[in-house]
Amino acid sequence: MPLAAVIPEPNKPIELREFPAPDLEPNSAVLAVELSEVCGTDVYLQRGLLDGVPYPLIPGHVSVGRLAKIRGEMLDVEGSAFREGDRVTFLDVHRTCNACWYCLVAKATTRCPQRKVYGITYGAIDGLAGGWAEQVYLKPGTRCIRVEAEPESFMSGGCALPTALHAVERGDIAIGDTVLVLGSGPVGLNVIILALMRGALRVICIGAPKQRLDAAVELGAAAVFNFEEHDEAKRLDWLLTHGRLPDVTIEATGHPDAVVQAMRFTRDAGRVVIVGQYTDHGAVSNEAAFNPHLDLNKKHLDVRGCWGSDFSHFYRAAQLVSDPVRSEPWTRLQPKLSRFGLGQANEALSAVASGEVLKALIDPRMGI
Amino acid sequence: MPLAAVIPEPNKPIELREFPAPDLEPNSAVLAVELSEVCGTDVYLQRGLLDGVPYPLIPGHVSVGRLAKIRGEMLDVEGSAFREGDRVTFLDVHRTCNACWYCLVAKATTRCPQRKVYGITYGAIDGLAGGWAEQVYLKPGTRCIRVEAEPESFMSGGCALPTALHAVERGDIAIGDTVLVLGSGPVGLNVIILALMRGALRVICIGAPKQRLDAAVELGAAAVFNFEEHDEAKRLDWLLTHGRLPDVTIEATGHPDAVVQAMRFTRDAGRVVIVGQYTDHGAVSNEAAFNPHLDLNKKHLDVRGCWGSDFSHFYRAAQLVSDPVRSEPWTRLQPKLSRFGLGQANEALSAVASGEVLKALIDPRMGI
Amino acid sequence: MPLAAVIPEPNKPIELREFPAPDLEPNSAVLAVELSEVCGTDVYLQRGLLDGVPYPLIPGHVSVGRLAKIRGEMLDVEGSAFREGDRVTFLDVHRTCNACWYCLVAKATTRCPQRKVYGITYGAIDGLAGGWAEQVYLKPGTRCIRVEAEPESFMSGGCALPTALHAVERGDIAIGDTVLVLGSGPVGLNVIILALMRGALRVICIGAPKQRLDAAVELGAAAVFNFEEHDEAKRLDWLLTHGRLPDVTIEATGHPDAVVQAMRFTRDAGRVVIVGQYTDHGAVSNEAAFNPHLDLNKKHLDVRGCWGSDFSHFYRAAQLVSDPVRSEPWTRLQPKLSRFGLGQANEALSAVASGEVLKALIDPRMGI
Amino acid sequence: MPLAAVIPEPNKPIELREFPAPDLEPNSAVLAVELSEVCGTDVYLQRGLLDGVPYPLIPGHVSVGRLAKIRGEMLDVEGSAFREGDRVTFLDVHRTCNACWYCLVAKATTRCPQRKVYGITYGAIDGLAGGWAEQVYLKPGTRCIRVEAEPESFMSGGCALPTALHAVERGDIAIGDTVLVLGSGPVGLNVIILALMRGALRVICIGAPKQRLDAAVELGAAAVFNFEEHDEAKRLDWLLTHGRLPDVTIEATGHPDAVVQAMRFTRDAGRVVIVGQYTDHGAVSNEAAFNPHLDLNKKHLDVRGCWGSDFSHFYRAAQLVSDPVRSEPWTRLQPKLSRFGLGQANEALSAVASGEVLKALIDPRMGI
C-alpha cells in the first residue's frame, strides 16, 4: 500500500498514511513519484489560508516520476502513446472543461470554474491525488508530458518554472528591455532566467534574504537590492542609479504593497505583471497609498494579473529542461536544492516558510 | 487687438484681456476661433490643482475655427497646403519632439517630456495659446486637421472624443462584448458612442446625475445606474442582474476609488481602462480597500492606464464627425450643448463644475 | 424514419433517403431541423473537389432547429441544461480534441487534426450528420447554442456569419479605417456588415454580379465596383479615386489571383485577410504575377490566412442575431433568401452555383 | 579635402573622388568614419537595380566613427549633448517627417514617403552623404547613437543587425519556439543570433554556401541544410525529420520563390516574416506555384512583410553590441570580417557579390 504525506486539517502537523493501491479507470495511470516539491502555496495550505481545500489532503502539485502502470491509453500531444517506464510530469490542473464560456469564448482557461488541482483542490478523498506520495493516481484526462532530463533538472524549476514562463509571456519583453523582478523566491529566480532568455538586456532584482539574492546574481541578474535593508524611497533611488526606470516589472513577492511599488518602479508606458498574489494577504496598506493618478493613469501603464499556468507553459517548461543547451541555468540551480523524505515533510515546510532553503523537494525514494 | 479670457492666478475669477495681434513666424497661422470648450480640466486649472501651469493662462485646449491668416505653409497629413478660410481643429499637444527615448524607442508619444499643451501648459506669456479667445496663434509645427462639419458637430465630441477614442482603442473591444462605462460626463458619453461603434453588444453605464444618464440611454446605453443612489455592493448586484460581469470596463469618473471598483466590476480575464484620473485626487480610500489578490491577480485582469491623445485620435475624431453617417450620435448630442460668450467664462466654469450642463462651449462670436 | 438529402457520390445528383431514427448515446440529442443552408462549399462537395469527404453524405453544416429529444444532459456554456423544445444552432465542428499540440500549445483549434465537420467530413455512414434532413443527430460533445431569434434571422447570416466574424477579428479593424471587401457572396456581405459594426469609416466592395453589389450597398457599402466589367488596372484606378488605398482588405472570392490583388489593393503597412480560399483552385496565374518585393515586403504588409471558425464565433454570431438592435442588418437580408424543400436540393445547388440567388436555404418543413 | 568612393553611374566601376570639406549648418556634425560596410544592397546599387537612386553616389549606409566636429548641438535620446570625439553610429534613415499620415496615423514610419537614406537615396550631389568616405556630413536632424564598443564589434552586426532585429520582433517568437531561417547571409546570421536571444528552443537554417552554414552552426544553429544541393522537396523532407514544421520562419534570401517556400515550410497557424525581398527580382516562378488555398488560407498563416528599420532597432542594436554579455555572438563573428580600404571598394563589392566573404567592411583608415 503506497505511502503519502497528509495534512489532516489546517494547522495540524503532516502525518504519513497508507493508501490503497488505486483502482485504475480506463485511460488512467499510476505515477511512481521520483520528486515532488514544497512551494509557498503548500505553506499556506498547511496554515489553512486557501479557500476551497478539501482536508485531509496530500500536498504536492508539480511532480515528476515514471509511469508505473497504464490502463488503456495515455497519449502525448503528438498522439504517441506513453509506455510504462516513461519519465513524465503532468499538468497539475485537471478537468479544464473545454465546454464553458471561459474556456470557449473568453479563451481564459486558467479561469475555468471546473478546474481541479492535484495537491490543492483534490483531497485525500480523491485518492492518491498529490505528489508527496510514493504514487500519484493520474486520473483519465490528466495531461502527461515526457521529461527527457534527470528529475532534479526538471524540479530545479518545479512549479515556479511554468508560473514564471506565463508571467514573462504576459510581460511581453522585447530584446533590449530592462526588467525588474520583485521577489527572489523560486518564481522570482525563474523569472530572472526566463527574462534573460527572452532577450532582456539587463535584469535587476529587489528581494531577500542575501542567499537568494546571491542566487539571483549567479543566474545572471545585473544588480540586486535587499528590500529588508531599504525602504521604498531607497529602492526607488537605487533603481534610478541604473538609469531610466525599468521597461517591465514582474512582481513575485506575496506582499500586497509590492503591487503598488511595482507600478511606481516602472517607467511610463511600461508593463507590470502581478504574479505574486496567489494567496489573500489583505488590502494594500495605508503606507503604500495607491494613487491611481500618479501610479497608473498618468504613467500610461499596463498592469497585468497572471493567474495559473496552462498546458503550454508546462509543455515548454519540460522542453527547456530537456534541452542540453537551454537547461543550463536550471542545472546551475540544482546544487541549491534541499531534499526531504516523505517522513520529513514537516521539516521541509518549516524550511520553506523560513526562507532558509532556496527550494525544498520531497523525494519519496529516500525512504522514511 | 483680439480678446481672450484669462485665469490670472489660481482661484481668481476669469477676466477678459486684449492681446496684441500675433507676429507670425514662418509656417505658422492664426485661427479665428468659432468654438472652444470648457472641460473638467479647466475647472481644476482654475482651482490650481494641476502641476506645471504657467499662470496667467488662456484656457481652452480643443477648439475649432477658420484659418484667418497663414504665413508660409501649413500642410495637412496628406501634404496638401491649408488655405486661409479653411475650417480646422488642431492637436492641442505641441512639440512632441520625435527625438527622445519616449518618442523614438518606447513609441509612447503621449509621455514625451517635451510636449506642451495649448490652454494648459502654454500660458499667456506664450501669447494667444488657448482657445477661449477670438484668435489662437498656431505656432510652427502645430498639427491642423480639416473639419468638414459644422463647428457644433465637432465640439459635441470636443476633447472628450479623442480621449474616449484612445480609451476604447486601449480596451480592445471585440464584437459582441459587454462594456461597462463608469462615469457619464463627456468622456463617459463619448465612450458609450464609440464602444457601440466598435461592436459592443451591450454598453451599460454607472454614473450621475439623472440628466446625464438619460443622455447615456439616448446614445444607446442598454442600461444605466445612478451611483449617487447606490453603494458599491448594490452596483455589483445590479451588474450581476445583467449576467456575467462585463468583458471590458472603462473608468472615466475622476474618483480614485472607482479604479478599484472598475477591477471588481469586470469579469475574470477582462480588460479595464483607466482614463478618469487626469487630476491628482489622492489615494484610494480605506473603504475601497484594494486587494491585489482578489481584485487583480486571481482575476487575471488587464488594467491599462490611458494618458492623453495623439494625432491619430484627433484625426480620426475629425473624420468621424465629418462623415454623414458616422457623425449621427454627435448630432444627437448637439441640442444638449450650452453655449457661453467670452464674457461668460466664469458662468461656464460654474455650470461645468456643478454638472448642471452636459457640455459647455465658449463661442467668441457671441460677443461679450 | 427521417428523410435526408444525400450526395451519393461526386457529380451525381442529390437523392432523398430515409434514415433510421438515431439511437441516442448518453448526453446526445436530436435536432428537428427548421432551416439549413446551401453554401459554396456544398457546390464543391457535390463536384468532388474537397479532400477527405466520405461519400455518400448528407450536406448542410450550419443549421438551426429545435431540440426534439435529449438523452442525458446537454449544457450550454453557462452550465444550464438545454430542454426539449429549445431553439438552437450548433458548432458544425465536432471533436476538436483539446488534447493535441495544436489545441493545447499552439492554441490554434481550427487546425486540430481530430476535428470532424457535420455535413462535410461526417458522411451518411455516421448517421444523420448533415443539416439537409428532417433531423440531425447531435452526437455527445456537440456544442449547442441557444438562438433567441426566428430561424430566418439566424440563417440570413448562416455559416458565412461566423466565418466573416473570424475574418474581421483577424483584420484588426480600427475605428475610422477604410475596409475593402473582395467578393460579394455571403461571406463578403457579412464582412461588410461586421466591418461597419467594428467601426470602419467606409467599407467598399469589389464583386459581382450587380444584384449582389446592390445588396452590398443596401448593407452600407459606401461604394461598389463590378469586377466582371473591369480588369485589375481599372480596379486599382477606382480604388485610388477613393483616396489612399484601404487600411484593411478582406479577400472572400474563391479566386487565387484575388489574393495577390488583395495585397496590391491595400495601403502600405496595412492588413490583408485571406478567407476566400477554402477550396483548392490551383496556383496564382502568370497574369497575376505575385512579386514579393513589390506586393509584400516593400509594402510592409500583414497577410493573414483565416481558416474555419471556433465556438466563440458561433456563439457571438448567435448573440448578434438574437439581439433586437444588432440583428438589424441581417433582418434586412431576410427577404433576399431563397428557400428550397429537401426534394429541391439539386435546384438549390444550381441556383447557388450560378450566383442567381443571394443565399439558398433548405427548409425540411416545406415537405418534398 | 576628404576622400570618398563613388559609384559614378550604374555598372561603372567605383572611383575615388575628393569632396570639399562640408560647410556645417546649425546642429550638424562631421563623422570621421572608422568603418562602413558593403551589404547586398550596395551590389544592387552598383548594378543599377534600385529605383530612385541619384547617381553619382557615395555608398555606405551603416557606419561607425567619431564625431570630428559639431556645430551647435547634437543630442542623444536622453537629451545629453554629444561631444567631439564621441564614438557613434547614426540612423541611416533621415527626414522621417513626423508630419505625414504614415508617420502620425498609421505609425508606420518606415513607410514615410519623405525619408531619405544615407548612401542610397542621398547622392554625391548631397555632399558627403555615404559611409565609404573619410568623413560623413551628418545633416541637422540626423539621429546619432553612442557606441560603447570597438567599431569592429558594432560592424559585425552592421546594417544586418537592426534589420534582423526588426524581423525577429515581427516574428513574435515565443520561448520554446522552433525557428527556421531561410538564407545565411548577414541578415540570416543575425536572425539566428537574435532568435536564440529571444528564447527560441531551436533555430535551424537553410542556406549556402558551406562556409556561411558553418558560421550559422557556430552562432548556435541546431541544424543547417545547403539549398544548393537539395531541391524544395528534399528541404521539406529534411525539415520534417526535425519533427513538426517550424513555428516561425524568417525569410532572408533575396529569391522570390523562397517566399512561397517559407509559407510551405511553416507549421499551420505559424508566422512567416519576409525580410529578404529588398530588391525587385521579379515574380514568383511557375515552378514555385503559389497556391493560396494550400500555402496560406488552409494553413491559417500570418505572413508579415518587414521593411526597413526605425530608430529603436538601431538604438537597441547599439545597446546589444555595447553590452559585455550580450555582445558575445557578434564578437564571435569578428574574425570572419574582411576589411577593405577605400581604394579597394571594387574588390569589396565583388567579394560580396560572389559570397566569398561573410561580410566586407570599408575601412577608410587603411589608406588607399
Side-chain angles (χ1 to χ4, degrees):
Chain A
M1 299 227 292
L3 265 183
V6 171
I7 302 177
E9 57 180 287
N11 297 306
K12 286 281 157 69
I14 290 168
E15 51 191 52
L16 286 185
R17 294 192 189 170
E18 284 195 325
F19 279 73
D23 189 17
L24 276 70
E25 297 157 277
N27 305 317
S28 72
V30 169
L31 182 82
V33 178
E34 292 178 314
L35 286 174
S36 186
E37 79 179 315
V38 185
C39 95
T41 298
D42 297 314
V43 174
Y44 299 131
L45 264 179
Q46 197 266 339
R47 294 181 186 169
L49 296 177
L50 275 72
D51 286 338
V53 178
Y55 300 93
L57 162 120
I58 308 171
H61 37 289
V62 169
S63 313
V64 66
R66 290 191 183 275
L67 291 170
K69 198 169 165 191
I70 300 176
R71 180 176 170 203
E73 212 172 39
M74 300 283 279
L75 301 178
D76 67 15
V77 284
E78 309 294 353
S80 306
F82 286 105
R83 297 190 185 178
E84 294 178 358
D86 285 350
R87 175 171 290 142
V88 300
T89 186
F90 60 96
L91 177 63
D92 57 349
V93 178
H94 189 223
R95 286 191 9 195
T96 302
C97 74
N98 196 33
C100 73
W101 187 88
Y102 276 98
C103 282
L104 291 180
V105 182
K107 298 171 189 173
T109 59
T110 70
R111 299 305 301 139
C112 168
Q114 301 301 322
R115 64 207 285 277
K116 300 289 278 183
V117 187
Y118 281 90
I120 298 179
T121 57
Y122 273 136
I125 202 174
D126 300 298
L128 285 161
W132 298 10
E134 289 174 340
Q135 296 184 356
V136 176
Y137 173 48
L138 303 176
K139 300 168 192 284
T142 301
R143 308 263 177 243
C144 292
I145 303 166
R146 223 171 284 280
V147 174
E148 285 168 14
E150 291 307 301
E152 286 74 14
S153 301
F154 181 73
M155 295 309 288
S156 303
C159 75
L161 169 46
T163 301
L165 191 50
H166 192 183
V168 165
E169 189 181 291
R170 291 276 280 167
D172 211 10
I173 297 167
I175 289 178
D177 273 352
T178 295
V179 176
L180 168 65
V181 182
L182 295 183
S184 53
V187 173
L189 295 176
N190 276 276
V191 167
I192 292 170
I193 295 172
L194 292 164
L196 285 167
M197 201 175 276
R198 187 61 157 51
L201 186 67
R202 289 178 335 117
V203 179
I204 59 185
C205 177
I206 299 179
K210 186 181 176 308
Q211 144 216 12
R212 290 183 170 189
L213 294 177
D214 290 346
V217 170
E218 212 172 312
L219 291 169
V224 297
F225 204 63
N226 192 320
F227 75 84
E228 292 176 339
E229 299 166 7
H230 303 280
D231 63 12
E232 185 185 326
K234 284 209 188 114
R235 292 173 216 165
L236 193 56
D237 289 346
W238 176 77
L239 283 171
L240 289 169
T241 62
H242 290 79
R244 197 181 307 108
L245 289 172
D247 300 287
V248 179
T249 297
I250 299 184
E251 181 279 332
T253 68
H255 299 289
D257 289 2
V259 170
V260 180
Q261 290 171 15
M263 300 186 204
R264 269 175 213 155
F265 290 172
T266 306
R267 59 111 168 146
D268 287 6
R271 283 137 277 148
V272 174
V273 178
I274 303 304
V275 70
Q277 309 291 323
Y278 268 53
T279 307
D280 186 354
H281 291 292
V284 164
S285 75
N286 283 341
E287 205 188 335
F290 172 41
N291 180 311
H293 168 66
L294 296 173
D295 297 331
L296 176 52
N297 195 349
K298 191 173 180 186
K299 294 191 78 150
H300 197 80
L301 283 184
D302 272 47
V303 182
R304 300 171 184 171
C306 184
W307 186 258
S309 316
D310 67 25
F311 181 84
S312 74
H313 305 113
F314 268 68
Y315 178 81
R316 289 180 187 271
Q319 281 192 306
L320 294 174
V321 298
S322 299
D323 183 78
V325 178
R326 283 303 190 192
S327 59
E328 189 271 337
W330 291 281
T331 308
R332 249 187 288 163
L333 271 178
Q334 245 171 266
K336 298 182 198 300
L337 301 173
S338 304
R339 193 184 295 253
F340 297 82
L342 278 180
Q344 302 165 295
N346 288 302
E347 290 79 356
L349 268 184
S350 306
V352 168
S354 70
E356 80 200 46
V357 299
L358 206 71
K359 184 185 268 290
L361 299 183
I362 298 292
D363 183 345
R365 300 165 302 180
M366 285 172 68
I368 307 171
Chain B
M1 298 225 294
L3 266 183
V6 171
I7 303 177
E9 56 179 287
N11 296 307
K12 286 282 157 68
I14 290 168
E15 50 191 54
L16 286 185
R17 294 193 189 168
E18 284 194 324
F19 279 73
D23 189 17
L24 276 71
E25 298 157 277
N27 304 319
S28 72
V30 169
L31 182 82
V33 178
E34 292 177 315
L35 287 174
S36 187
E37 79 178 317
V38 186
C39 96
T41 298
D42 297 314
V43 174
Y44 299 131
L45 265 179
Q46 198 266 338
R47 295 182 186 166
L49 296 177
L50 274 74
D51 286 339
V53 177
Y55 299 94
L57 162 119
I58 309 171
H61 38 288
V62 170
S63 312
V64 67
R66 290 192 184 275
L67 290 170
K69 199 170 164 189
I70 300 176
R71 181 177 169 199
E73 212 173 39
M74 300 283 280
L75 301 177
D76 69 13
V77 284
E78 308 295 353
S80 307
F82 286 104
R83 297 187 185 181
E84 294 178 359
D86 284 351
R87 175 172 289 142
V88 300
T89 186
F90 59 96
L91 178 62
D92 57 350
V93 178
H94 189 223
R95 287 191 6 195
T96 303
C97 73
N98 197 32
C100 73
W101 187 88
Y102 276 99
C103 282
L104 291 181
V105 182
K107 297 171 190 174
T109 58
T110 71
R111 298 306 300 139
C112 168
Q114 301 301 323
R115 63 207 286 276
K116 300 289 279 183
V117 186
Y118 282 90
I120 298 180
T121 57
Y122 274 136
I125 202 173
D126 301 298
L128 286 161
W132 299 10
E134 289 174 342
Q135 295 185 355
V136 176
Y137 173 47
L138 303 176
K139 300 167 192 284
T142 301
R143 309 260 177 243
C144 292
I145 303 165
R146 224 171 283 279
V147 174
E148 286 168 11
E150 292 306 302
E152 287 73 14
S153 301
F154 181 74
M155 294 309 289
S156 303
C159 75
L161 169 44
T163 301
L165 192 50
H166 193 183
V168 164
E169 191 181 290
R170 290 277 281 166
D172 211 11
I173 297 167
I175 289 179
D177 273 353
T178 294
V179 176
L180 168 64
V181 183
L182 296 183
S184 53
V187 174
L189 295 177
N190 276 277
V191 167
I192 291 170
I193 294 172
L194 292 165
L196 285 167
M197 201 175 276
R198 173 75 197 215
L201 186 66
R202 289 176 338 116
V203 178
I204 59 186
C205 177
I206 298 179
K210 185 180 176 309
Q211 145 217 12
R212 290 183 168 189
L213 294 177
D214 290 347
V217 170
E218 214 173 306
L219 292 169
V224 296
F225 204 63
N226 193 319
F227 76 83
E228 293 176 339
E229 300 166 5
H230 303 281
D231 64 11
E232 186 185 324
K234 283 208 187 115
R235 293 173 216 165
L236 193 56
D237 289 347
W238 176 76
L239 284 171
L240 290 168
T241 61
H242 290 81
R244 199 182 306 108
L245 289 171
D247 299 287
V248 179
T249 297
I250 299 183
E251 182 279 330
T253 68
H255 299 289
D257 290 3
V259 170
V260 180
Q261 290 171 17
M263 301 185 202
R264 267 174 214 156
F265 290 173
T266 307
R267 58 112 168 143
D268 287 7
R271 282 138 279 148
V272 174
V273 179
I274 303 304
V275 72
Q277 309 291 323
Y278 268 52
T279 307
D280 186 354
H281 291 292
V284 164
S285 75
N286 283 342
E287 206 189 335
F290 172 39
N291 180 311
H293 167 67
L294 296 173
D295 296 329
L296 177 51
N297 195 349
K298 190 175 183 185
K299 293 191 79 150
H300 196 81
L301 282 185
D302 271 47
V303 182
R304 300 171 185 171
C306 183
W307 186 258
S309 316
D310 67 25
F311 181 84
S312 75
H313 305 112
F314 267 69
Y315 178 81
R316 290 180 187 271
Q319 282 192 307
L320 294 174
V321 298
S322 298
D323 183 79
V325 178
R326 284 304 191 192
S327 58
E328 189 271 336
W330 291 281
T331 308
R332 249 188 288 164
L333 271 178
Q334 247 172 263
K336 296 182 201 299
L337 301 173
S338 304
R339 193 183 297 252
F340 297 82
L342 277 180
Q344 302 166 297
N346 288 301
E347 290 79 356
L349 268 183
S350 306
V352 168
S354 71
E356 79 200 47
V357 298
L358 205 71
K359 183 184 270 288
L361 299 184
I362 298 292
D363 182 346
R365 301 166 301 180
M366 285 172 68
I368 306 169
Chain C
M1 299 227 293
L3 265 184
V6 171
I7 302 177
E9 59 179 288
N11 297 307
K12 285 283 157 68
I14 290 168
E15 50 192 53
L16 287 185
R17 294 192 189 169
E18 285 193 324
F19 279 73
D23 189 16
L24 276 70
E25 298 156 277
N27 305 318
S28 71
V30 169
L31 182 82
V33 178
E34 292 178 315
L35 286 174
S36 186
E37 79 179 316
V38 185
C39 95
T41 298
D42 298 314
V43 174
Y44 299 131
L45 265 179
Q46 197 266 340
R47 294 182 187 169
L49 296 177
L50 275 72
D51 286 339
V53 177
Y55 299 93
L57 161 119
I58 309 172
H61 37 288
V62 170
S63 313
V64 66
R66 291 192 183 274
L67 291 169
K69 199 171 166 188
I70 300 176
R71 181 179 169 200
E73 213 174 39
M74 300 283 279
L75 302 177
D76 67 15
V77 283
E78 309 294 352
S80 306
F82 286 104
R83 296 188 185 178
E84 294 177 0
D86 284 351
R87 175 172 289 141
V88 299
T89 186
F90 59 96
L91 177 62
D92 57 349
V93 178
H94 189 224
R95 287 192 6 197
T96 304
C97 74
N98 196 32
C100 73
W101 187 89
Y102 276 98
C103 282
L104 291 180
V105 182
K107 297 172 191 174
T109 59
T110 70
R111 299 305 301 140
C112 167
Q114 301 301 322
R115 64 208 286 275
K116 300 288 279 185
V117 186
Y118 281 91
I120 298 180
T121 56
Y122 274 136
I125 203 172
D126 301 297
L128 284 161
W132 298 10
E134 289 173 340
Q135 296 185 355
V136 177
Y137 173 48
L138 303 176
K139 301 168 192 283
T142 301
R143 308 265 176 240
C144 291
I145 303 166
R146 223 171 284 280
V147 174
E148 285 168 13
E150 291 307 301
E152 285 74 14
S153 301
F154 182 73
M155 295 308 289
S156 302
C159 74
L161 169 45
T163 301
L165 191 50
H166 193 184
V168 165
E169 190 181 290
R170 292 276 281 166
D172 211 9
I173 298 167
I175 289 178
D177 273 353
T178 295
V179 176
L180 168 64
V181 182
L182 296 184
S184 53
V187 173
L189 295 177
N190 276 276
V191 167
I192 292 170
I193 295 172
L194 292 164
L196 286 167
M197 201 174 276
R198 188 54 156 58
L201 185 67
R202 289 177 336 115
V203 179
I204 58 185
C205 177
I206 298 178
K210 186 180 175 311
Q211 143 218 14
R212 290 183 169 190
L213 294 176
D214 290 346
V217 170
E218 213 172 310
L219 293 169
V224 297
F225 204 64
N226 193 318
F227 76 84
E228 293 176 339
E229 299 166 5
H230 304 280
D231 64 13
E232 185 185 326
K234 284 209 187 114
R235 293 172 216 165
L236 193 56
D237 289 346
W238 177 77
L239 285 171
L240 289 169
T241 62
H242 290 80
R244 198 181 306 106
L245 289 172
D247 300 287
V248 179
T249 297
I250 299 184
E251 180 279 330
T253 68
H255 299 289
D257 290 2
V259 169
V260 179
Q261 291 172 14
M263 301 185 202
R264 267 173 215 159
F265 289 172
T266 307
R267 58 112 167 144
D268 287 6
R271 283 137 278 147
V272 174
V273 179
I274 303 304
V275 71
Q277 309 291 323
Y278 267 53
T279 307
D280 186 354
H281 291 293
V284 164
S285 75
N286 283 341
E287 206 188 335
F290 172 40
N291 179 312
H293 167 67
L294 296 173
D295 297 330
L296 176 52
N297 195 350
K298 191 174 182 185
K299 294 191 78 151
H300 196 79
L301 282 184
D302 272 47
V303 182
R304 302 171 183 169
C306 183
W307 186 257
S309 316
D310 67 25
F311 181 83
S312 74
H313 305 113
F314 268 68
Y315 178 81
R316 290 180 186 270
Q319 282 192 307
L320 294 174
V321 298
S322 298
D323 183 78
V325 179
R326 285 303 189 192
S327 59
E328 190 269 339
W330 291 281
T331 307
R332 248 187 288 163
L333 271 179
Q334 246 172 265
K336 297 182 197 301
L337 301 173
S338 304
R339 194 183 296 255
F340 296 82
L342 278 180
Q344 300 165 296
N346 288 302
E347 290 78 357
L349 267 184
S350 305
V352 167
S354 71
E356 79 200 47
V357 299
L358 206 71
K359 185 185 267 289
L361 299 183
I362 299 292
D363 183 346
R365 300 166 303 181
M366 285 173 68
I368 307 169
Chain D
M1 300 226 291
L3 264 184
V6 171
I7 304 178
E9 57 179 288
N11 297 307
K12 286 281 157 69
I14 290 168
E15 50 191 54
L16 286 184
R17 295 193 189 169
E18 285 194 325
F19 279 73
D23 189 16
L24 275 70
E25 298 156 278
N27 305 317
S28 72
V30 169
L31 182 82
V33 178
E34 293 178 315
L35 287 174
S36 186
E37 79 180 315
V38 186
C39 94
T41 298
D42 298 314
V43 174
Y44 299 131
L45 265 179
Q46 198 266 338
R47 294 182 187 168
L49 297 178
L50 275 74
D51 286 338
V53 177
Y55 300 94
L57 162 120
I58 308 171
H61 36 290
V62 170
S63 312
V64 68
R66 290 192 182 274
L67 290 169
K69 197 168 166 190
I70 300 177
R71 179 175 171 203
E73 212 174 39
M74 300 283 280
L75 302 177
D76 69 12
V77 284
E78 309 295 352
S80 308
F82 286 104
R83 297 190 184 176
E84 294 178 359
D86 284 351
R87 175 172 289 141
V88 301
T89 186
F90 60 97
L91 177 62
D92 57 349
V93 178
H94 189 225
R95 288 192 6 196
T96 303
C97 74
N98 197 33
C100 73
W101 187 88
Y102 277 98
C103 283
L104 291 181
V105 182
K107 297 171 191 174
T109 59
T110 70
R111 299 306 299 139
C112 168
Q114 301 301 323
R115 63 208 287 275
K116 301 289 278 183
V117 187
Y118 282 90
I120 298 180
T121 57
Y122 273 137
I125 202 171
D126 300 298
L128 286 162
W132 299 9
E134 289 174 340
Q135 297 184 354
V136 176
Y137 172 47
L138 303 176
K139 301 166 192 284
T142 300
R143 309 262 177 242
C144 292
I145 303 166
R146 223 171 283 279
V147 173
E148 287 168 12
E150 292 306 302
E152 286 73 14
S153 300
F154 182 74
M155 295 308 289
S156 302
C159 75
L161 169 44
T163 301
L165 191 50
H166 193 182
V168 165
E169 190 181 290
R170 291 277 281 167
D172 211 11
I173 297 167
I175 289 178
D177 273 353
T178 294
V179 176
L180 168 64
V181 182
L182 296 184
S184 53
V187 174
L189 295 177
N190 276 276
V191 167
I192 292 170
I193 294 172
L194 292 165
L196 286 167
M197 200 175 277
R198 172 75 199 216
L201 186 67
R202 290 178 333 117
V203 178
I204 58 185
C205 178
I206 299 179
K210 185 180 176 310
Q211 144 217 15
R212 291 183 168 189
L213 294 177
D214 290 347
V217 169
E218 214 172 310
L219 292 169
V224 297
F225 204 64
N226 193 320
F227 75 84
E228 293 175 339
E229 299 165 6
H230 303 281
D231 64 11
E232 185 186 325
K234 282 209 188 114
R235 294 173 215 164
L236 192 56
D237 289 347
W238 176 76
L239 284 171
L240 290 169
T241 60
H242 290 80
R244 199 183 307 107
L245 288 171
D247 300 287
V248 179
T249 296
I250 298 183
E251 181 278 331
T253 67
H255 299 289
D257 290 3
V259 170
V260 180
Q261 289 171 16
M263 301 185 201
R264 267 174 215 155
F265 289 173
T266 307
R267 59 114 167 141
D268 286 7
R271 281 139 279 146
V272 174
V273 179
I274 303 304
V275 72
Q277 308 292 322
Y278 267 53
T279 307
D280 186 354
H281 291 292
V284 163
S285 75
N286 284 341
E287 206 187 335
F290 172 40
N291 180 313
H293 167 67
L294 296 173
D295 297 329
L296 177 52
N297 194 349
K298 189 173 183 186
K299 293 191 80 150
H300 196 81
L301 283 184
D302 271 46
V303 182
R304 300 171 184 170
C306 183
W307 185 258
S309 317
D310 67 26
F311 181 84
S312 75
H313 305 112
F314 267 68
Y315 178 81
R316 291 180 186 271
Q319 283 191 306
L320 293 174
V321 298
S322 298
D323 183 78
V325 178
R326 284 303 191 192
S327 59
E328 189 270 337
W330 290 281
T331 307
R332 248 187 289 164
L333 271 178
Q334 248 172 264
K336 296 182 199 302
L337 301 173
S338 304
R339 193 183 297 251
F340 298 82
L342 278 180
Q344 301 165 297
N346 288 302
E347 290 78 357
L349 268 184
S350 305
V352 168
S354 71
E356 78 201 47
V357 299
L358 206 69
K359 184 185 269 289
L361 300 183
I362 299 291
D363 183 345
R365 302 165 302 181
M366 285 173 68
I368 306 171

